[in-house]
């Protein structure tokens, strides 16, 4: 089982890892991909997976079926453990902490029951981080990690994800030590994580390592190191196309530049981060990013823009009911209104914050509220109350060790005493302010803003050069491979050339043979004329093109009427040919039929065409226009062909002729298709044959639909029956040689 997403250290703060595609069930991969953006949908997918499928303990629990998704009724033990892991992560993102703990405990229990060692250790590590993130209980978390470490030592390298497990274990330990302020131990664990992470050769794992390490440095105000790590994460995220990790790196870079007072760069990175998180209204990070942007606007003096972002962040936090952030945002809004001289609204939001402050122990928020209340009291000429509020703010800022807040309080206290005429107290407060300010400035002045900008450029160039160096080595290896491949290709090309020349000779022979076969395939074996097979293949497309041209002319898309696209079909039947073989024998019959076919080929000129339809029937197709001969003249032409054929055997010159035109229905070109048209033609020829039998002479019959004949009358599966009904109704005119 793969240890996806670098041990899920990323599950709260960091984006997805590239390992998500290795989930044993494809549907779980889809659910994991939605964790950072749509956790509710991810949870729904996992719940459906667990409810709709039954666990199949009979299989090898460590086997990952290749086509598992094709079986939609069962789930393997390994995929079940993975499903509960994702369920725990989704619940955490939805602030369902109890459900998250229950889900991961279920994953641990299942992995233990089915002896899935890697799944068990994965789940234990997720549980450790969940517990730490929810409780901040150092002792209990370290106890859990100690058990995991012992189990990792027992397994050794027996499982395939050894480095991934140690990578995640080291990162969690580093996070715990960093939170406690044990920077040396934290850095030791970060180095261990890097050692194992480098072996993974996975860009995503290294990206969030740099993010985690940069966050550690940023928290400890080590801006140089933080800048190096976060820029590494930033550029690697771009190269690996990891948009979620890029958004997190942008957010932390925004915080870094904000703290260094490089506000334009801070706004640039924060805006890029907000663009990603803004696509998903339930994103955990969105309110943090909006708050950061608001703080930047506030520093830039854009108070109204700051208010907009603060209110947007407040809307996000109301859904989560995070008391700390709700108080903080209301204090931010109150302070912004104070700067806009809107003291009424400032007092309103301060009162809302104080109402929440009564039920929690948050020294920082209490200090901020007291300081703002002092400012409002000074506006209202209540210096005594302001002094009390300032002293309260100083007390709480000391508890929280918030030096900037304490600095503001001391400054305001000195100014207030001075206004009250208490110069000795004012001087004392001013000295304390200067002492505190000097210590803060010593840290802030280590590098100035311009130097910090230059340092950013240098680090980016260094990262770029490192990338170029690695790329150069890779290109050198690729060049050697290409040289070997080129030599092989030269030899291969020679062989292919010889083979191609041989194939060309064979193809020429085959083309000639194919041409002969096609001629035989589409030629009647006795008469040598085009046969019924060719007619069946060509006629549908020919009629379709003819209908299309006529319709375009009627619609005005063609200037001239395409008369050449109107066709006349003439089917003539020679009774004597039907008896030829019986009366004169096979050899003589072949000779006469071949001579007759050659004769017809000579009298029919292009673009007209003639086909040997059946033993004694021939189909003549000509393009019809207004200048074309009439049906009677056409019949006489066919009769003249028969009469002019010089043969001592073919003495009976009787011929039965059927004629129709295409399009058959003047107002519905496509209502009659090719097969139906042939059926109508056969009916006409059959009628001519009946007349010939009665009169013992050549006869012809022409079927022609009237101009207003409706297409609905011919909408039938039996076109012959439809035609008979149409004749009876007068929709088809029957013109014969007897008329």
């Amino acid at each position: 089982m793969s240890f996806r997403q670098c041990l899920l250290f990323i599950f709260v703060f960091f984006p997805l890892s590239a390992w998500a595609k290795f989930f044993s069930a494809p549907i779980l991969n889809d659910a994991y991909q939605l964790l950072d953006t749509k956790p509710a949908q991810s949870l729904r997918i996992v719940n459906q997976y667990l409810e709709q499928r039954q666990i199949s303990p009979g299989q090898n629990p460590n086997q990952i079926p290749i086509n598992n998704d094709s079986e939609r009724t069962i789930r393997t033990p390994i995929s079940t453990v993975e499903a509960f892991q994702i369920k725990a992560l989704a619940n955490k993102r939805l602030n369902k902490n109890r459900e998250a703990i229950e889900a991961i405990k279920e994953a641990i229990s299942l992995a233990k029951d089915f002896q899935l060692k890697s799944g068990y250790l994965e789940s234990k590590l997720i549980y450790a981080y969940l517990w730490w993130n929810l409780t901040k209980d150092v002792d209990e978390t370290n106890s859990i990690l100690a058990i995991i470490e012992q189990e990792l030592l027992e397994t050794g390298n027996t499982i395939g994800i050894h480095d991934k497990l140690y990578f995640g274990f080291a990162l969690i330990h580093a996070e715990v030590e960093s939170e406690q302020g044990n920077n040396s131990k934290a850095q030791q664990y970060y180095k261990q994580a890097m050692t194992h992470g480098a072996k993974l050769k996975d860009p995503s794992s290294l990206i969030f390592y740099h993010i985690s390490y940069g966050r550690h440095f940023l928290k400890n105000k080590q801006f140089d190191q933080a800048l190096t790590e976060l820029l590494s994460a930033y550029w690697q995220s771009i190269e690996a196309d990891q948009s979620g990790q890029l958004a997190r790196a942008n957010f932390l870079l925004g915080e870094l530049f904000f703290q260094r007072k490089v506000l334009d760069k801070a706004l640039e990175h924060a805006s890029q981060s907000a663009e990603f998180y803004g696509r998903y209204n339930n994103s955990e990070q969105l309110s943090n990013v909006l708050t950061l942007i608001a703080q930047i606007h506030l520093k830039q003096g854009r108070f109204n823009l700051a208010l907009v972002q603060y209110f947007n962040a407040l809307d996000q936090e109301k859904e989560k009911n995070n008391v700390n952030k709700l108080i903080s945002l209301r204090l931010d809004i109150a302070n912004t209104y104070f700067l806009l001289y809107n003291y009424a609204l400032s007092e309103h939001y301060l009162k809302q914050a104080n109402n929440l402050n009564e039920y929690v122990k948050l020294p920082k928020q209490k200090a901020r509220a007291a300081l703002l209340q002092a400012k409002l009291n000074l506006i209202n000429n209540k210096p005594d109350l302001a002094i009390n509020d300032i002293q309260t703010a100083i007390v709480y800022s000391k508890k929280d060790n918030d030096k900037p807040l304490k600095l503001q309080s001391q400054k305001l206290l000195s100014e207030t005493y001075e206004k009250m005429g208490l110069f000795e107290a004012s001087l004392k407060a001013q000295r304390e302010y200067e002492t505190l300010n000097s210590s803060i400035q010593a840290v802030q002045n280590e590098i100035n803003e311009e130097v910090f900008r230059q340092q950013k450029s240098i680090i980016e160039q260094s990262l770029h050069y490192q990338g170029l160096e690695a790329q150069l080595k890779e290109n050198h290896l690729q060049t050697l491979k290409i040289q070997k491949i080129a030599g092989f290709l030269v030899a291969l090309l020679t062989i292919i050339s010889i083979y191609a020349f041989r194939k060309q000779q064979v193809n020429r022979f085959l083309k000639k043979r194919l041409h002969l076969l096609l001629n035989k395939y589409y030629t009647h074996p006795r008469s040598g004329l085009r046969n019924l097979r060719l007619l069946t293949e060509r006629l549908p497309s020919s009629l379709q093109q003819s209908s299309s041209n006529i319709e375009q002319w009627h619609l005005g898309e063609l200037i001239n009427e395409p008369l050449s696209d109107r066709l006349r079909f003439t089917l003539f039947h020679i009774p004597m040919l039907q008896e030829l073989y019986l009366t004169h024998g096979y050899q003589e019959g072949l000779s006469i039929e071949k001579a007759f076919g050659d004769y017809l080929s000579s009298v029919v000129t292009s673009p007209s065409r003639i086909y040997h339809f059946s033993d004694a029937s021939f189909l003549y197709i000509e393009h019809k226009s207004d200048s074309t001969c009439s049906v009677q003249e056409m019949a006489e032409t066919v009769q003249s062909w028969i009469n002019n054929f010089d043969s001592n055997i073919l003495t009976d010159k009787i011929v039965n002729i059927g004629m129709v035109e295409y399009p058959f229905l003047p107002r519905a070109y496509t209502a009659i298709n090719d097969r139906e048209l042939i059926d109508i033609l056969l009916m006409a020829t059959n009628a001519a044959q009946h007349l010939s039998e009665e009169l013992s002479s050549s006869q012809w019959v022409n079927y022609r639909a009237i101009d207003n004949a409706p297409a609905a009358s011919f909408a039938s599966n039996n076109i012959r029956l439809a035609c008979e009904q149409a004749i009876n109704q007068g929709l088809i005119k029957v013109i014969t040689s007897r008329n």
Side-chain angles (χ1 to χ4, degrees), residues 119-138:
Y120 172 75
L121 291 173
E122 284 180 354
S123 302
K124 286 291 290 287
L125 281 169
I126 298 173
Y127 173 72
Y129 195 84
L130 276 173
W131 186 261
W132 163 249
N133 186 262
L134 296 175
T135 65
K136 298 298 180 183
D137 189 333
V138 176

Side-chain angles (χ1 to χ4, degrees), residues 130 362 520 539 588:
L130 276 173
L362 299 171
K520 290 182 180 180
L539 186 59
E588 192 68 25

Side-chain angles (χ1 to χ4, degrees), residues 451-466:
V451 173
F452 197 73
R453 290 178 185 273
Q454 293 175 2
Q455 184 184 7
K456 175 181 181 293
S457 177
I458 292 170
I459 292 172
E460 287 179 333
Q461 290 177 8
S462 175
L463 293 172
H464 180 63
Y465 291 146
Q466 289 176 7

